[in-house]
Every structure is written in C-alpha cells, then in structure tokens.
Amino acid sequence: MRNMASALLMLGILVTCNLSAHARGGAGERRPRVEDIDRRTFDAGAGGKLTLAAPIGDVEVAAEETNVVTVEILRRVQADDRGEATRLLANLLVETEQQGRDVTVRLRFRRETPDDERRRVGLRFQVSVPRGYNLDVSTVGSFRIGDLQGGVSVETNGGDISIGRVSGDVVAASSGGRVKIAAADGASKLTTDGGSVSIESAGAVEAETGGGPFKATLARQPRTDSSISTSGGQIELSIGPGVGVELDAAAADGRVSSDYDEAAGHKRNSLRAAIGGGGPRLVLRSAGGSIRVRKPSAEAAGR
C-alpha cells in the first residue's frame, strides 16, 4: 500500500483530467485560465478517516450514503497556453495512500517552484465521504461541511469554517476567518485569530478568539470543564434547561450580565455562580468586550 504506483493501481483510483482553456476579459488579467479536474476514488467504508492536506484551496465536503471516498481537485492555472499550464501543474504533486478504511490525500508544490508560479495555481476541493466518517483537513482557504456522523478536525490559514451537525468531537482553527457550527455532540475546541465564533448547540467548549465575538448555546450537560475567551469581542452564551455548571465570568473592560436568579447581586465586571445546581466549570473571559449569560429562547430550548 505504501508503494504509491501500485496503490493507485490496486485501488482502482480513477483520475480524469479534462483540460479546458478560456480567456477571461476582466481588467488586469494578463493570462487566460486553464482548468484541470483530478478525480480520485477510494473504496473505504464507514468508520475511517480522511486526512486531506493542501498548500492552498477551498474545501467542501458532503457526507452521503456511500462506502466510497471521492476527492475531486479543481486546479486553475493562469497560463498563456496548454503547454505552459501543463508545466505549471507538474510542480504540484498529489500523493495518496489508503490503509484499511483510512485515506490520506496530500498536495504539495515541488520545493524548487518559484513563488510567482505558485501564485498562478488555484485549487478547490469537492469531497464526498460516508456519513459515518471522520475528517482531518488542513488548507489555506475556506472549509465547509454539512451533517456528519463522525468527528471533524480542520485547520485553515485564513478562510471561514462552516460545520453542520457533527456527532463526534470538533477541532477547528482559523488564522482569521469565522467559525460557525450548527451542533457538536462531542467536545469542541475552537480558535480563530480574529473572526467570530458561533455554535447553535454545544456540549463542552474550549474556544479562543483573538478579536471577534463568541455566541453559543450550551444545550447539553458538559462532562468536562469549558473555557471561552476573547481578546476584544463580546461573549454571549445561553445555558439550556437542565444544564448545570459552575460559572466564572470576568470582563476586563466590559460588563457581565445574566438572566439567572442564581447570579443576582454580582459585581459589574465579574460573576461567579452555580447555574442549574452546578457542575463542571464554565470559565468566560473577555479582555475588551462584554459578557452576557442568557436563558435560551423557546425555539433553542426545544432543539
């Protein structure tokens, strides 16, 4: 399996490269665009993990009723002709490996590729995985996935991260984009250097944002402590019915407010209280914004 050439042959990976060049008439564009589609398929089955690593590119993933992992790579090249495009694409290496149900796809430029030639290559990924699968993705671009019966780990150097309902743990890190999650049944570990973070339904949360706001509903009883901090944004957290936590909130340059009677009489910029009878610690810290602890809306409480 580690021999790349034999692995591709044994697994029957389908590769299609449909080249089409067309001129773009926009201002400032000096070359036409050549597109190349590379499609790889793996008979993996549920329960495995896809590891996808790329130097650039937006990634969109769909979980479907299938046992096959499919990775489509759309490569766009700014080139004068097909010959030049082929030369530039030769600098981009695609390495694949399958071990049991686990699939690895890695892309990298040859070390000697000049920066100006790297900038002329753009990538976009369309990925399909079984519903009961796990993901480990790293790229420079955006990441998007719908519902998944597995866990998600994603790191992007600047793009937004959007995740649907996930049954496993979520680890998401962006150097500056927004992080948005519909629901995470497991633990969530989230970081962004400057974008906002929002979770519609969460259990235990560990989150840090360098300057954006944080908004979430703690809908299920966490089994472990939670910690949420922001260097400059506002924290707005709803605690669902039946959820018990030991709340410890403090805002260095803002106000802390709460809808709960247990938190009555607290200081203007700090609050400590046992919410819902107490439980794991819930630590909230804001260096430059306010903190508000709310009761969830009727709609959110009924989810």
Side-chain angles (χ1 to χ4, degrees):
M1 300 291 292
R2 295 185 178 278
N3 185 298
M4 196 63 60
S6 62
L8 297 181
L9 180 61
M10 293 174 62
L11 295 172
I13 296 175
L14 174 64
V15 182
T16 61
C17 297
N18 300 319
L19 289 175
S20 62
H22 57 278
R24 298 199 297 181
E29 296 190 88
R30 290 177 265 178
R31 296 182 177 91
R33 185 177 71 186
V34 178
E35 293 186 352
D36 167 86
I37 298 177
D38 187 342
R39 186 173 188 265
R40 315 252 170 156
T41 62
F42 308 82
D43 190 1
K49 180 175 72 174
L50 170 63
T51 300
L52 173 62
I56 53 173
D58 298 336
V59 178
E60 185 169 352
V61 183
E64 301 178 349
E65 296 294 341
T66 180
N67 287 322
V68 176
V69 172
T70 302
V71 179
E72 285 192 352
I73 309 167
L74 174 62
R75 301 181 291 188
R76 297 188 178 100
V77 187
Q78 298 296 325
D80 292 325
D81 53 44
R82 186 172 303 196
E84 185 183 23
T86 300
R87 181 183 66 79
L88 294 174
L89 286 176
N91 292 325
L92 185 66
L93 304 179
V94 182
E95 301 168 345
T96 65
E97 182 180 4
Q98 181 175 5
Q99 292 186 341
R101 297 181 178 180
D102 296 339
V103 174
T104 299
V105 178
R106 299 186 187 278
L107 287 84
R108 61 183 177 88
F109 285 104
R110 297 183 188 274
R111 184 177 301 178
E112 64 272 17
T113 305
D115 289 343
D116 62 329
E117 292 192 358
R118 295 176 187 233
R119 287 191 291 268
R120 291 166 62 185
V121 178
L123 299 176
R124 184 166 62 85
F125 298 84
Q126 292 280 356
V127 179
S128 172
V129 298
R131 291 198 183 278
Y133 214 68
N134 302 284
L135 294 173
D136 185 352
V137 175
S138 59
T139 186
V140 180
S142 64
F143 173 85
R144 184 181 184 87
I145 185 174
D147 298 348
L148 181 72
Q149 296 172 7
V152 175
S153 176
V154 56
E155 180 178 0
T156 174
N157 288 337
D160 292 343
I161 296 174
S162 177
I163 299 174
R165 302 184 66 88
V166 176
S167 63
D169 295 342
V170 174
V171 178
S174 175
S175 295
R178 297 171 295 178
V179 178
K180 183 177 181 180
I181 302 173
D185 292 344
S188 300
K189 184 175 182 179
L190 317 171
T191 57
T192 175
D193 288 347
S196 62
V197 175
S198 64
I199 313 175
E200 294 179 17
S201 177
V205 179
E206 183 180 342
E208 182 177 355
T209 172
F214 177 93
K215 183 176 182 180
T217 297
L218 206 63
R220 291 174 301 284
Q221 178 62 41
R223 297 181 180 180
T224 59
D225 294 345
S226 295
S227 175
I228 300 164
S229 65
T230 175
S231 298
Q234 174 180 323
I235 295 176
E236 183 176 326
L237 185 70
S238 299
I239 300 177
V243 174
V245 293
E246 291 290 340
L247 179 63
D248 178 0
D253 190 19
R255 181 180 178 184
V256 177
S257 60
S258 171
D259 294 343
Y260 289 88
D261 296 336
E262 299 95 317
H266 64 86
K267 297 180 180 179
R268 180 181 181 278
N269 64 344
S270 65
L271 184 161
R272 288 190 177 185
I275 305 296
R281 295 187 70 206
L282 173 58
V283 179
L284 309 179
R285 295 289 186 268
S286 176
S290 61
I291 297 176
R292 184 175 181 185
V293 181
R294 305 177 57 189
K295 293 182 179 180
S297 64
E299 179 183 358
R303 288 177 182 156

